[in-house]
Amino acid sequence: MVDEGARVLLDRLVTGREEFVAQWTGRVGEELRGRLSTVELSRELGELYEAVVAGLSAGGLDGRGESFGEARSLLIELSRTRARQGFTPTETARSVFALKEVLEPALAADAEGARVYLQFARLLDDLGLLTTEAYVRTREEIISSQAEQLLELSTPVVKLWDGVVGVPLVGTLDSARTQVVMEKLLQTLVDSDSTHAIIDITGVATVDTQVAQHLLKTVVAARMMGAQCIISGIRPQIAQTIVALGIEFGDIPTNASLSDALRQALKEIAANAEDDVRGLL
Amino acid sequence: MVMDLQEDLSHRIAETSAKGVIIDISALEIVDSFVGRMLATNASISRVLGAETIVVGMRPAVAMTLVELGLSLTGVRTALNLERGLKLLRRISAGRV
């Protein structure tokens, strides 16, 4: 159901194809100042032009319609690659809007052309908006994947000694991280058959009730599996905050330094081993 | 089933005058608050009858679920695996813990 306006537009777009694409490429190339090769740009925009023409001939001037599906997916792809290459969303959207400027002198000369031009401009506005949306989405994907990697990187569980594992915590402790730390710690306890775990919070900037709550959860979970937990690396000002906030660590052993915690763990392990040797057990 | 376990366990402890009970939950993959409470209740019953209960082989996922449910199994001793559980039991009976 192609209406009169779309047909007029289509005629002019098809006849002036070469010229329009060349002008469009020229304008966009100017805008991007040589950061993209002309050949590549011309290919990209040529494809896009074809898709828009195809969309027009199939479904008229409705940019949100089904007929523009291909044009939209091309634009989303274009926006994604541009986002990864470091172009701003404005530059990507301008690439689309540049077509308006190219078509303006050719279409807006006569009354009928002007009316069609306005309709087409609306369509291009829609498509331009789409690139911005795709840009934001791509950026968000990048950010969330980086956050995930950061989470993985920031929670190492290391074996300190036979039967002793250490968890050096750095940064802030929120519930998502607590979950990851807990999972890793508990799995390592099982895998390495360790009876002691030392959670070192030297790198944790602040300890508030929330963080303390997360720490306690981790310790309780490790205890339920049958391992002893020691919290180490409590700096003087953190000790003061803990007491000021009235946080109770109960019977969980805490230490100022990792070495003290390790000594304590080894002492307990040694005592148990001694009992073993004595035949007490 | 849980009520049966409670019944059987308490009778058996009384009959054999057992000093220790080991509950191996290494095959337990899913827990709810009811199971958590069951473990605590069994431990209390055994203690009243003079036997120490040790829960062994808890899986990480199970421990995390129990923590999220707000259960800490206080009063229940735990060990990583059966071997360590038996050692702990002997240590307890030797008065070392």
Side-chain angles (χ1 to χ4, degrees):
Chain A
M1 32 136 256
V2 180
D3 60 18
E4 186 64 21
R7 209 178 43 73
V8 172
L9 181 65
L10 206 52
D11 278 347
R12 302 206 186 177
L13 283 181
V14 172
T15 34
R17 184 188 184 279
E18 299 299 322
E19 192 194 331
F20 289 147
V21 172
Q23 277 185 33
W24 192 13
T25 310
R27 269 180 194 270
V28 176
E30 232 171 76
E31 180 90 27
L32 302 180
R33 282 184 294 276
R35 274 179 289 167
L36 222 55
S37 76
T38 319
V39 182
E40 200 181 336
L41 199 60
S42 152
R43 188 185 52 79
E44 272 179 4
L45 296 182
E47 272 176 22
L48 195 57
Y49 192 91
E50 287 305 322
V52 170
V53 169
L56 278 174
S57 65
L61 280 159
D62 180 16
R64 288 175 202 143
E66 230 171 76
S67 56
F68 277 90
E70 206 203 323
R72 278 201 302 266
S73 57
L74 265 178
L75 264 181
I76 290 172
E77 196 45 50
L78 182 113
S79 179
R80 275 169 182 278
T81 36
R82 293 278 166 89
R84 293 214 179 83
Q85 286 162 345
F87 290 98
T88 65
T90 313
E91 281 167 335
T92 312
R94 281 247 180 96
S95 303
V96 177
F97 295 148
L99 185 59
K100 286 202 284 191
E101 293 162 30
V102 169
L103 292 179
E104 194 183 333
L107 282 175
D110 53 289
E112 194 191 21
R115 197 174 57 80
V116 175
Y117 171 73
L118 284 177
Q119 284 178 323
F120 189 57
R122 210 176 301 141
L123 190 155
L124 283 179
D125 286 344
D126 270 351
L127 295 181
L129 274 179
L130 192 70
T131 62
T132 312
E133 203 183 302
Y135 178 90
V136 171
R137 212 175 305 135
T138 310
R139 275 304 170 99
E140 246 150 45
E141 276 166 23
I142 293 173
I143 291 171
S144 69
S145 83
Q146 279 175 345
E148 225 165 83
Q149 283 173 10
L150 208 62
L151 206 61
E152 284 289 315
L153 283 176
S154 61
T155 51
V157 177
V158 290
K159 188 174 170 182
L160 293 176
W161 208 275
D162 275 346
V164 188
V165 292
V167 191
L169 287 179
V170 177
T172 51
L173 203 60
D174 54 16
S175 45
R177 248 189 102 189
T178 310
Q179 192 79 6
V180 177
V181 170
M182 214 194 275
E183 234 165 80
K184 267 198 167 176
L185 172 63
L186 299 186
Q187 196 54 53
T188 316
L189 285 174
V190 174
D191 293 344
S192 63
D193 191 24
S194 299
T195 51
H196 287 77
I198 300 173
I199 301 175
D200 188 76
I201 59 167
T202 311
V204 178
T206 50
V207 175
D208 52 15
T209 44
Q210 192 91 24
V211 172
Q213 190 67 29
H214 290 318
L215 278 175
L216 284 176
K217 262 189 186 176
T218 313
V219 172
V220 168
R223 273 198 177 172
M224 281 200 288
M225 305 235 334
Q228 290 303 313
C229 259
I230 304 172
I231 297 175
S232 77
I234 300 178
R235 282 174 281 128
Q237 68 261 48
I238 286 198
Q240 290 173 35
T241 334
I242 288 174
V243 173
L245 287 173
I247 297 165
E248 281 289 337
F249 277 124
D251 54 347
I252 299 163
T254 49
N255 271 323
S257 71
L258 181 60
S259 61
D260 286 344
L262 185 58
R263 186 176 299 128
Q264 189 182 337
L266 289 177
K267 210 181 269 177
E268 279 172 31
I269 289 177
N272 292 348
E274 230 169 78
D275 286 351
D276 260 335
V277 172
R278 271 200 212 130
L280 234 174
L281 310 176
Chain B
M1 196 181 120
V2 169
M3 294 322 270
D4 284 350
L5 175 68
Q6 204 165 302
E7 191 85 355
D8 289 352
L9 188 64
S10 51
H11 278 111
R12 192 64 76 84
I13 293 170
E15 280 164 23
T16 60
S17 58
K19 289 283 165 271
V21 176
I22 287 189
I23 303 179
D24 188 341
I25 57 166
S26 55
L28 198 66
E29 282 177 47
I30 300 164
V31 285
D32 51 17
S33 54
F34 183 68
V35 173
R37 213 173 56 236
M38 177 272 283
L39 289 173
T41 315
N42 273 327
S44 302
I45 294 172
S46 309
R47 195 172 300 121
V48 171
L49 292 167
E52 197 67 43
T53 302
I54 297 173
V55 173
V56 302
M58 188 183 289
R59 293 182 181 215
V62 170
M64 287 170 70
T65 313
L66 289 177
V67 169
E68 290 305 325
L69 290 171
L71 296 168
S72 58
L73 298 189
T74 36
V76 182
R77 286 174 189 274
T78 51
L80 272 180
N81 48 43
L82 185 58
E83 192 194 348
R84 287 194 185 279
L86 284 168
K87 276 188 184 172
L88 179 59
L89 206 51
R90 277 186 265 170
R91 204 175 293 138
I92 292 166
S93 57
R96 298 286 294 183
V97 180

